[in-house]
Amino acid sequence: MTARTFQATNPATGQPLAPAFPVTTPQEMEALVAAARGAARAFAASTPTQRADFLNAAAAAIEARADAFVEAAMAEAGLPEPRLRGEVGRTANQLRLFAGVAADGSWVDARIDHADPARKPPKPDVRSLRVPLGPVAVFGASNFPLAFSVAGGDTASALAAGCPVVVKAHPAHPATSKLAAEAIRAAAQQCGLPAGVFGIVYEDGHELGVQLVQHPDIHAVGFTGSRAGGLALVAAAQAREVPIPVYAEMSSVNPSVFTAAALEANGAALAKGLAASISGSGGQLCTQPGLLFVPVGEAGDAFLNDVAAKLDATPACTLLTGGILNAFQKGAAGHLKAAGVQPLTQGAKPDSGAQPQLLSVPIAQFTPELADEVFGPLSVAVRYDRLEEVTPLLAGLEGQLTATLHATDAELDGLADLLHVMGTRAGRLVLNGFPTGVEVGHAMVHGGPFPATSDGGASTSVGSRAITRFARLRAYQDFPDRALPPELQEANPYGIWRLVDGERTR
Ligand code: NAP
């Protein structure tokens, strides 16, 4: 029997791209998961140095394929070359960040409470650490074909934790996905790790993805994409006999509040920065500022007119897929129909891609639907009279990845209530900046209350803390030293930071 195939589409031309990709069969997926299960024990027991070497080798293998990546992703995602070159660097840096975390080894949060037989009742010896969950599934995102896809942050953090990964490639960029898979496999081979530490499945539908999430040997899921997709995977994971966590990063409109004083002090620069933040990468960033709070009056008018002019001067964007373009056009039309909404930009030009759009609505006519994500280059400006009106409206918003305040230094102390409410709604607060750049580092939080993420903002999908999503806690009581994992042995052979009898020591 010939395998069913699918083809990606070049979003710029609408033409199908060669080659056709065979859809992974259920038997092939079963073999990949079995290999992951087979590799899990040895991978979990690998030393910090072995895991770090693997991730560093994967970073080098990604960089070695940079030209091929850029060529494939330009055709499959319609993103410009400089953006994709940057993404290659970001992907390699993420892998190296997690190599550092793995090498340091302290992320396991080892704790030792020594026994005290003299205490009444006697105190046992209790030691604990984080251990990898076992094989996990990762769903590649469409909007970062490298950095949030096959070799992206979810995969890097799971591998650093010692979990084999099976990726469901995003069907919009199979050739880019295949290159990333080859890079990771080559790195595993170079480091003498079993092939089962990494597998990939291809499918242009949902059947295999759901089967993967429901496979008894899969222990957690990482996902970035739509709210509908994320919730479908959460439901699939909950319907298992043994439910598993799904770390889904879904939708966010990233509210940005501008005070009149900030606009008077710095309006022109803010307009330039905001227009770029709304329309960069075709607005297809989870941190795109889709909801603005702008004061009524001269400073607010001038500012929004300036942003609108800059967006009108921006060429129409090629969106990642035909589906995303349709959803954008439908979402924009829906917002435009809402009572009180006025377009400030000229709007779509016939036969163009997605023309960046700025809409405006008086705060009295704001409805929660205007805070629904329209993925792409569109933003809604809510015009307010007094900042006190903005706080309750922000408090009623759904959870967000980010919330931004543009205010002068002199105003800041008087805005504690507003900042408090922003903090209850978002995972990252930005002051006098734009939310779109998500720095990869130790301190970054890329998460937030539902529906920004499915776990209520308890974790982050960017930055080194992402590793803890793929581990669980395990304690050992009264074990002899030789039977403990190295991280918990008295001699501390890996030299990691530990909490010993309540004191942080190395
Ligand atoms: P998506 O539709 O959520 O798809 C992401 C992945 O999940 C794909 O592999 C998809 O497979 C799979 N999937 C979707 N629904 C599923 C279901 N019910 N059961 C099993 N698997 C499912 O996201 P997308 O294609 O990247 O973009 C579509 C929309 O997602 C955008 O318009 C935007 O609203 C949102 N999005 C958000 C972010 C973000 O950063 N939060 C990023 C990208 C996209 P198929 O493609 O075969 O359906």
Side-chain angles (χ1 to χ4, degrees):
M1 200 177 79
T2 335
R4 195 166 70 75
T5 60
F6 70 98
Q7 279 175 277
T9 303
N10 183 324
T13 63
Q15 295 303 308
L17 288 161
F21 275 77
V23 173
T24 305
T25 65
Q27 294 75 10
E28 286 167 338
M29 188 175 84
E30 189 56 45
L32 287 170
V33 178
R37 185 186 57 223
R41 184 170 169 181
F43 194 36
S46 58
T47 65
T49 311
Q50 283 170 323
R51 259 182 248 170
D53 287 349
F54 173 33
L55 290 160
N56 281 323
I62 294 284
E63 284 171 338
R65 291 160 173 79
D67 290 344
F69 272 128
V70 170
E71 193 187 333
M74 279 174 76
E76 292 185 327
L79 292 166
E81 178 172 351
R83 151 72 205 268
L84 290 168
R85 294 247 169 236
E87 217 180 307
V88 172
R90 183 189 171 106
T91 307
N93 288 345
Q94 278 178 171
L95 287 159
R96 291 198 175 102
L97 175 82
F98 283 105
V101 174
D104 175 75
S106 305
W107 72 274
V108 300
D109 191 17
R111 296 174 181 214
I112 298 175
D113 291 340
H114 285 108
D116 181 3
R119 197 192 71 174
K120 289 195 178 39
K123 184 179 165 206
D125 182 284
V126 180
R127 302 170 184 228
S128 64
L129 81 170
R130 289 199 179 103
V131 294
L133 288 176
V136 302
V138 167
F139 284 69
S142 61
N143 57 342
F144 280 85
L146 290 164
F148 276 80
S149 192
V150 176
D154 284 345
T155 297
S157 54
L159 292 176
C163 297
V165 171
V166 181
V167 172
K168 193 253 166 171
H170 196 288
H173 57 262
T176 313
S177 299
K178 188 161 177 265
L179 283 166
E182 283 165 4
I184 299 175
R185 283 215 193 94
Q189 197 178 19
Q190 183 188 327
C191 297
L193 291 169
V197 296
F198 179 82
I200 184 163
V201 300
Y202 299 90
E203 179 198 30
D204 59 342
H206 298 159
E207 213 173 315
L208 214 54
V210 170
Q211 278 172 22
L212 182 61
V213 169
Q214 295 196 321
H215 197 291
D217 288 323
I218 292 294
H219 298 279
V221 179
F223 169 94
T224 300
S226 67
R227 186 167 175 166
L231 290 183
L233 298 185
V234 169
Q238 286 299 314
R240 293 166 46 123
E241 193 177 330
V242 179
I244 54 169
V246 176
Y247 297 102
E249 192 249 277
M250 301 176 290
S251 82
S252 183
V253 288
N254 307 297
S256 297
V257 179
F258 296 82
T259 69
L263 295 181
E264 277 152 20
N266 209 13
L270 291 179
K272 188 170 173 218
L274 181 63
S277 192
I278 291 172
S279 62
S281 294
Q284 301 160 113
L285 301 176
C286 36
T287 48
Q288 192 254 18
L291 188 64
L292 316 171
F293 293 91
V294 178
V296 294
E298 231 172 84
D301 289 346
F303 170 66
L304 287 177
N305 288 338
D306 197 358
V307 176
K310 288 182 164 56
L311 293 178
D312 279 333
T314 305
C317 315
T318 299
L319 298 192
L320 294 157
T321 65
I324 289 178
L325 178 61
N326 286 343
F328 174 76
Q329 286 166 340
K330 205 168 144 205
H335 277 3
L336 272 165
K337 269 193 224 129
V341 172
Q342 294 293 328
L344 299 180
T345 39
Q346 290 160 11
K349 301 181 179 98
D351 299 327
S352 69
Q355 183 61 39
Q357 295 188 45
L358 182 62
L359 315 181
S360 159
V361 65
I363 195 161
Q365 287 179 283
F366 176 82
T367 58
E369 291 73 31
L370 291 170
D372 286 347
E373 183 185 46
V374 176
F375 196 62
L378 179 142
S379 196
V380 177
V382 181
R383 305 298 303 270
Y384 69 86
D385 283 301
R386 291 170 303 112
L387 267 178
E388 295 74 51
E389 299 170 307
V390 174
T391 311
L393 205 148
L394 281 172
L397 289 183
E398 292 189 308
Q400 306 289 331
L401 291 168
T402 72
T404 297
L405 174 63
H406 289 272
T408 63
D409 194 55
E411 288 178 301
L412 204 54
D413 294 339
L415 297 175
D417 279 352
L418 182 76
L419 279 168
H420 167 76
V421 168
M422 288 167 97
T424 65
R425 297 290 75 217
R428 175 164 58 106
L429 300 180
V430 180
L431 185 64
N432 294 325
F434 300 97
T436 26
V438 184
E439 187 63 33
V440 178
H442 296 290
M444 180 48 71
V445 173
H446 190 61
F450 182 87
T453 58
S454 56
D455 74 343
S459 67
T460 174
S461 63
V462 175
S464 55
R465 278 198 186 110
I467 194 171
T468 59
R469 298 174 301 164
F470 300 114
R472 68 177 179 87
L473 295 169
R474 183 191 293 153
Y476 292 82
Q477 188 165 326
D478 290 333
F479 271 61
D481 206 53
R482 68 175 190 287
L484 287 165
E487 291 92 338
L488 297 179
Q489 290 171 4
E490 274 312 293
N492 193 9
Y494 296 157
I496 62 175
W497 284 102
R498 311 194 290 188
L499 193 66
V500 180
D501 296 325
E503 262 184 51
R504 181 80 43 205
T505 108
R506 189 154 209 163

